[in-house]
Amino acid sequence: MGQQEKVATSLAGAVSEGISASLAPVDAELARRYPGDPGTRQPVHTVYVPGDAFAADSIRSWGDQALAALDEHAPDAASFAAVLGLSDELAAPVHDRVRAKLAREPIEDLRIDFEDGYGGRGDAEEDAHAARAARLIAEAYRNGTAAPYMGIRMKCMEAAVRERGIRTLDIFLTGLTEAGGLPDGLVLTLPKVTYPEQVTAFVRLLEAFEKARGLDAGRIGFEIQIETSQSILAADGTAAVARMIDAAEGRATGLHYGTFDYSACLGVSAAYQASDHPAADHAKAVMQVAAAGTGVRVSDGSTNVLPVGTTEKVHDAWRLHYGLTRRALARAYYQGWDMHPGHLPTRYAAVFAFYREGFEQAAARLRAYANHAGGDVMDEPATAKALSSYLLRGIDCGALDTAEVARLTGLTRADLDGFATPRRGDLTATAE
């Protein structure tokens, strides 16, 4: 034992108490605005199916079409890996997991579209399709064929289509409620948001529905679709997207980038409208910063290049989609849109390769951190959070197995959840 150190202070306890009292409003504001990630599963993609085309077998049909595309254009692990440039070590695991995913859970998040993918219809026709969407989703959740997340994209809150959008939403939510209640995986998408006031109006709409049906206040959340330049930079020079999150009053679950509407809004010609255009990178970077810490997730957009036609054309489209998905993952956009069944093989190939190729290193670093074992990297709590979140995302989508993660980390799922969603103060501490 060394010499006992003498501890002396100069400030009275009242000083600390006074500072804490003065910062109490800030503490409350931090907790309200920046609660952190909710710790729930985030789907790796969203699939849009027009309201008139959605059917009871749509999810299974997409999976079967995706498997058929693999059978025709890349029938084994080696040929699929050759198209995408996968290493020999990843070829079989990725291929096998992609096929298993397409057979088990081909779509993670499905949106029945009543906006751009649906267009303008007669009121009676859209009424019927909205009611059918509610019935089919309720049936899917009852019989176990639902995607983990399902919902609709209504028309926006602009004057020309506002009443139609509100009516479609009312019919859909009412149908679900009367068919047994709103499912846990319900997701609503509000498109073409330009002003925070439109978000506020949508919140008031949901409040009215909850009150009318006797639901808990705040039960219904929604995604905000970013498709206009004004949602990134408002007329007064502020980042309107940050104000939109605030206007959602805790109901916003995601910000979804709309590749083509946003590009067109800026005058980008059709040939250059893509999720890796500099204009897209700027918009998503602003979205990402605005959403950080709020619990609102950011989703990338899509490619409109479809993997159809000759094998050569399919392979070209697969390489493009795979590359864009990997690019998004590296930039921490863990979700995107898929527009065609042929996109599913490369969506999952990109996601699975991303998590499997970094799995062992992430597991070793997290194990060393958890065991205070040191190593060649000095990780801190924030990095432990990122490492555990990475592993959890891999498990949730099927890229990793719980057992193999536990074997390499020595940690349970509960342990991983604890590192991934730490208390706020834990992130300010330094690693031991």
Side-chain angles (χ1 to χ4, degrees):
M1 293 290 293
Q3 180 180 346
Q4 186 75 28
E5 294 291 341
K6 179 181 178 181
V7 177
T9 63
S10 301
L11 299 175
V15 174
S16 178
E17 293 171 3
I19 289 174
S20 292
S22 71
L23 289 176
V26 172
D27 294 339
E29 187 75 348
L30 276 172
R32 182 184 73 83
R33 288 183 181 272
Y34 303 105
D37 190 87
T40 54
R41 175 181 179 180
Q42 180 181 10
V44 302
H45 69 168
T46 302
V47 163
Y48 282 78
V49 177
D52 59 324
F54 180 69
D57 65 346
S58 288
I59 294 174
R60 186 63 264 148
S61 175
W62 272 59
D64 290 344
Q65 290 179 68
L67 285 167
L70 275 176
D71 289 339
E72 181 177 358
H73 302 292
D76 53 43
S79 58
F80 195 44
V83 174
L84 304 181
L86 296 174
S87 67
D88 292 341
E89 292 77 15
L90 285 175
V94 167
H95 176 265
D96 293 348
R97 285 175 184 270
V98 167
R99 292 196 67 93
K101 180 75 169 181
L102 294 174
R104 182 186 74 254
E105 188 183 74
I107 294 176
E108 293 196 359
D109 183 27
L110 185 142
R111 207 71 70 249
I112 303 173
D113 192 15
F114 289 92
E115 203 232 359
D116 282 353
Y118 181 75
R121 309 292 180 95
D123 284 340
E125 185 178 9
E126 185 160 343
D127 284 354
H129 288 152
R132 186 184 68 163
R135 175 177 59 81
L136 291 177
I137 286 181
E139 291 174 355
Y141 276 103
R142 279 198 301 270
N143 63 29
T145 61
Y149 299 93
M150 298 183 75
I152 66 168
R153 177 170 70 169
M154 55 179 280
K155 290 177 172 63
C156 70
M157 297 298 285
E158 293 179 357
V161 294
R162 184 183 304 137
E163 290 188 12
R164 180 64 258 181
I166 291 172
R167 180 172 174 82
T168 296
L169 180 67
D170 187 9
I171 292 170
F172 174 72
L173 292 179
T174 299
L176 282 178
T177 303
E178 295 184 348
L182 304 182
D184 290 339
L186 175 67
V187 187
L188 305 176
T189 304
L190 179 64
K192 293 183 175 62
V193 181
T194 303
Y195 287 89
E197 289 81 0
Q198 294 168 325
V199 175
T200 299
F202 197 60
V203 170
R204 300 288 89 82
L205 176 63
L206 297 178
E207 286 177 343
F209 185 87
E210 290 165 349
K211 183 177 180 179
R213 302 301 304 201
L215 301 175
D216 292 339
R219 166 65 180 84
I220 308 172
F222 61 96
E223 303 164 338
I224 301 170
Q225 199 162 1
I226 304 302
E227 302 176 271
T228 66
S229 61
Q230 295 90 344
S231 61
I232 296 299
L233 186 67
D236 62 1
T238 61
V241 64
R243 293 164 53 207
M244 291 173 184
I245 293 173
D246 192 50
E249 300 177 19
R251 293 178 185 262
T253 59
L255 301 175
H256 283 226
Y257 176 68
T259 304
F260 305 105
D261 281 292
Y262 187 87
S263 298
C265 181
L266 268 63
V268 179
S269 61
Y272 298 97
Q273 292 177 1
S275 61
D276 59 352
H277 189 281
D281 285 340
H282 171 258
K284 287 179 288 188
V286 174
M287 293 162 58
Q288 190 173 48
V289 173
T294 65
V296 177
R297 274 100 173 238
V298 174
S299 174
D300 197 5
S302 59
T303 175
N304 58 1
V305 179
L306 304 184
V308 296
T310 66
T311 294
E312 181 181 7
K313 288 184 176 179
V314 170
H315 286 181
D316 287 343
W318 273 353
R319 278 188 286 267
L320 173 65
H321 185 244
Y322 178 87
L324 290 173
T325 303
R326 285 302 306 262
R327 184 181 189 272
L329 290 167
R331 285 158 175 76
Y333 308 132
Y334 298 112
Q335 185 175 354
W337 299 8
D338 288 326
M339 300 179 69
H340 187 273
H343 284 144
L344 299 185
T346 39
R347 169 67 60 183
Y348 291 123
V351 170
F352 293 171
F354 175 76
Y355 288 110
R356 292 208 66 81
E357 68 187 18
F359 160 50
E360 292 187 4
Q361 182 185 53
R365 287 177 65 178
L366 189 58
R367 184 185 188 104
Y369 176 87
N371 294 331
H372 308 290
D376 59 354
V377 180
M378 181 67 74
D379 285 324
E380 296 192 357
T383 305
K385 176 185 178 190
L387 291 167
S388 55
S389 295
Y390 174 88
L391 296 173
L392 286 168
R393 290 179 185 277
I395 292 171
D396 286 341
C397 71
L400 307 174
D401 297 327
T402 303
E404 65 180 342
V405 173
R407 185 175 66 252
L408 291 190
T409 62
L411 301 172
T412 66
R413 172 76 191 227
D415 294 329
L416 294 173
D417 286 333
F419 282 121
T421 54
R423 296 169 299 174
R424 175 173 295 280
D426 293 342
L427 292 180
T428 62
T430 53
E432 297 180 29

